[in-house]
Amino acid sequence: MTSRRMWLSVLTVLAALLLAMGAAACGGDDDEGGAATTAETQAEAVTAGLVSDVGRFNDKSFNQSALEGLNRAKDELGADTRAIESRAAGDYVPNLSSLARQNYDVTIGVGFLLADGVNTVARQFPDANFAIIDYSVMAPPFTDAKKNVATPDNVRGLTFATNENSYLIGCMAAMMAKAAGGEQVISAVGGLDIPTVSIFIAGYQDGAKACNPGIKVLIGFSQDFGAQDKCKELALNQIAQGSQAVFQVAGGCGLGALDAAKEKGKWGIGVDKDQSNLGPHILTSAVKRVDVAVFDTVKAIQEGTYEGGADALFNLENEGVALGTTSDKVTQDILDKVDELKQQIIDGTIKPKSSL
């Protein structure tokens, strides 16, 4: 009996050991699966930083759109993000450097004003990735044939064919002026007379004259992207000269131009973001999908498809530029004409001007 009990005890212990080993084995599989999942998550995780220009993220335009793209990357890609506002031009290099030192996978500068800063910091941190919105890395300061300076291979330019959607808007504004009668005048208020601004206005003017050859397009520059009073004064002067529609291409400053249009009962045309929320006086907006450019850049880093030393072009065909919400006062014949021209631009039949 004692012997039997002893054997039963031995068998019980063996069974317990076997169960424990099985549980450990199962636990080992779970741990390995957990480790694999953790490793996979870590492999997919991406860190992305964004540095604004002096217009800051509440400009209801360019910088805000960039921030929306970064936040989308956070929500949809699980990216670890950080956005830094620049209050003065002297902040650009320190802000960009801060993100690079923290080993962010990509650091994105918002706008041409950061070109020198991005170029400087990218060369100081050759192992870090950078992108600059609305500026080509095929242009100085990134490259200079005379000085034998080559574009750094860790910077990607995010460029926009805004002459394409602006061409359509120019046509729309000119046709609306023609339908309204009176003085055939429309206008544009730019910030600075630089390529990233003038490309909008060139397309706008080109499209207007294509659809209404008798139209006059007034053009002025405020020399500012922040002071709304400067843009408002310029727009009021244009309206006094007969302008029926004012196209703002001046960021935060341009809100003053749109306010002038509202005050005088004229059409206002937004820029960068859909600015139809500013009121029924907004005809439409020349939307630059800065948010898409930022999101796509972070996604490319995550997927390993990021390519530095080159530009990415956002246009009508890939929906990188577009028209915002259009007023319901625009008649169907005008909308049809705009749709027709849009397809011709995509097909290459029409090539809108890109400079004044």
Side-chain angles (χ1 to χ4, degrees):
M1 188 71 173
T2 302
S3 177
R4 183 181 177 188
R5 286 179 179 175
M6 182 181 70
W7 279 108
L8 285 173
S9 297
V10 170
L11 290 173
T12 300
V13 171
L14 287 172
L17 286 170
L18 288 171
L19 285 171
M21 291 174 66
C26 290
D29 287 343
D30 287 344
D31 288 344
E32 288 174 7
T37 301
T38 302
E40 183 179 352
T41 301
Q42 290 176 344
E44 291 178 353
V46 62
T47 55
L50 185 72
V51 177
S52 81
D53 68 14
V54 291
R56 299 160 67 182
F57 292 124
N58 64 348
D59 64 354
K60 296 184 176 64
S61 185
F62 197 78
N63 287 280
Q64 182 178 329
S65 183
L67 182 60
E68 289 171 357
L70 188 72
N71 289 336
R72 181 185 166 200
K74 179 179 181 179
D75 294 340
E76 296 185 21
L77 305 177
D80 181 5
T81 64
R82 184 182 177 194
I84 305 178
E85 284 194 329
S86 302
R87 296 175 179 272
D91 294 337
Y92 297 153
V93 169
N95 289 344
L96 293 163
S97 299
S98 174
L99 293 169
R101 287 194 186 94
Q102 294 175 63
N103 297 315
Y104 273 73
D105 293 318
V106 64
T107 296
I108 304 171
V110 184
F112 78 96
L113 293 174
L114 279 81
D116 285 321
V118 170
N119 180 58
T120 297
V121 178
R123 294 183 190 279
Q124 291 175 349
F125 296 89
D127 294 329
N129 296 315
F130 297 85
I132 182 164
I133 297 170
D134 214 22
Y135 200 88
S136 171
V137 294
M138 298 295 107
F142 296 101
T143 183
D144 190 329
K146 293 181 179 179
K147 297 182 180 179
N148 196 30
V149 175
T151 297
D153 60 9
N154 60 337
V155 185
R156 186 161 182 77
L158 309 178
T159 62
F160 301 85
T162 49
N163 54 325
E164 294 184 353
N165 54 340
S166 295
Y167 183 97
L168 303 179
I169 290 170
C171 173
M172 182 185 294
M175 290 184 73
M176 289 291 285
K178 187 174 183 180
E183 294 185 77
Q184 296 300 287
V185 182
I186 60 174
S187 62
V189 173
L192 297 176
D193 187 3
I194 54 175
T196 51
V197 172
S198 61
I199 187 174
F200 278 103
I201 299 174
Y204 176 72
Q205 183 181 56
D206 197 17
K209 291 186 175 297
C211 294
N212 182 354
I215 199 78
K216 182 176 182 180
V217 182
L218 304 176
I219 299 169
F221 296 92
S222 64
Q223 308 303 323
D224 201 291
F225 286 104
Q228 294 186 27
D229 58 325
K230 294 181 180 179
C231 285
K232 184 170 184 177
E233 181 180 1
L234 192 53
L236 288 172
N237 288 336
Q238 293 175 341
I239 292 169
Q241 296 176 66
S243 177
Q244 295 194 44
V246 180
F247 181 23
Q248 80 98 342
V249 194
C253 173
L255 296 176
L258 298 181
D259 187 53
K262 181 179 182 179
E263 186 177 295
K264 296 297 183 180
K266 305 299 180 182
W267 289 114
I269 300 168
V271 76
D272 295 333
K273 281 179 59 64
D274 185 339
Q275 297 184 312
S276 59
N277 64 306
L278 297 177
H281 66 295
I282 301 299
L283 181 65
T284 189
S285 302
V287 177
K288 180 186 290 186
R289 295 303 305 275
V290 174
D291 58 326
V292 171
V294 170
F295 177 83
D296 285 358
T297 300
V298 178
K299 187 177 181 181
I301 290 288
Q302 186 180 65
E303 295 178 346
T305 58
Y306 165 91
E307 293 182 11
D311 292 330
L313 178 64
F314 297 87
N315 54 23
L316 282 176
E317 184 173 10
N318 60 25
E319 300 182 346
V321 299
L323 270 63
T325 302
T326 299
S327 171
D328 57 13
K329 301 295 184 183
V330 179
T331 56
Q332 190 60 48
D333 63 315
I334 295 178
L335 294 175
D336 290 344
K337 179 64 174 179
V338 168
D339 285 341
E340 177 188 338
L341 295 176
K342 176 182 177 180
Q343 192 55 52
Q344 290 177 352
I345 292 172
I346 292 173
D347 293 342
T349 305
I350 294 176
K351 298 184 182 300
K353 291 181 180 179
S354 58
S355 60
L356 293 171

